Amino acid sequence: MDSKSLCTGILTGLIIGGFSALLSAPASGTDVRSSVRNYDWRSLNRRAADKGRNTMKDWQFAASEGFEAVDGLTQEMKRTYSRYKEEVEPEVESIQKQVKEISDAISSLNEQIRLDPK
């Protein structure tokens, strides 16, 4: 592509775009400038600030709810662990003791079998 056709395309696009903007403008330039000048920007600023404050309150509420949920979960986990220590650990120790007794009995039987050939 050569630079002459590129420049021609850009120039044509600018002319067509400008012409269509002039034809489709809802108001004249004077009316638009007057509307912008007379717009209640303070009201817009107040509404934006109010929405910002409301959003901040919503985020604070969500954060506090999240912290409460995490705290509740932490407490429940502590209770579960305490219950485990009270109920399960003694049983684990008992099972380990029984496994050791069985293992010792098997070792003793193996020793007897090895020493007493028939």
Side-chain angles (χ1 to χ4, degrees), residues 59-76:
W59 276 99
Q60 287 173 341
F61 176 74
S64 68
E65 289 290 314
F67 288 136
E68 289 175 12
V70 168
D71 187 46
L73 180 62
T74 302
Q75 296 302 322
E76 182 62 31

Side-chain angles (χ1 to χ4, degrees), residues 14-73:
L14 285 171
I15 291 170
I16 292 172
F19 185 68
S20 65
L22 286 174
L23 290 177
S24 64
S28 69
T30 306
D31 292 341
V32 171
R33 284 190 296 275
S34 173
S35 174
V36 168
R37 199 175 312 120
N38 295 331
Y39 188 76
D40 187 11
W41 295 103
R42 288 186 180 158
S43 173
L44 178 67
N45 189 21
R46 269 186 252 115
R47 286 194 313 262
D50 288 343
K51 284 187 179 193
R53 278 191 288 277
N54 290 338
T55 302
M56 181 63 82
K57 287 178 186 176
D58 291 344
W59 276 99
Q60 287 173 341
F61 176 74
S64 68
E65 289 290 314
F67 288 136
E68 289 175 12
V70 168
D71 187 46
L73 180 62

Side-chain angles (χ1 to χ4, degrees), residues 78-90 92:
K78 285 179 181 178
R79 284 192 296 273
T80 302
Y81 181 71
S82 294
R83 195 168 53 242
Y84 164 79
K85 286 192 71 81
E86 292 171 3
E87 297 173 4
V88 176
E89 276 192 357
V92 169

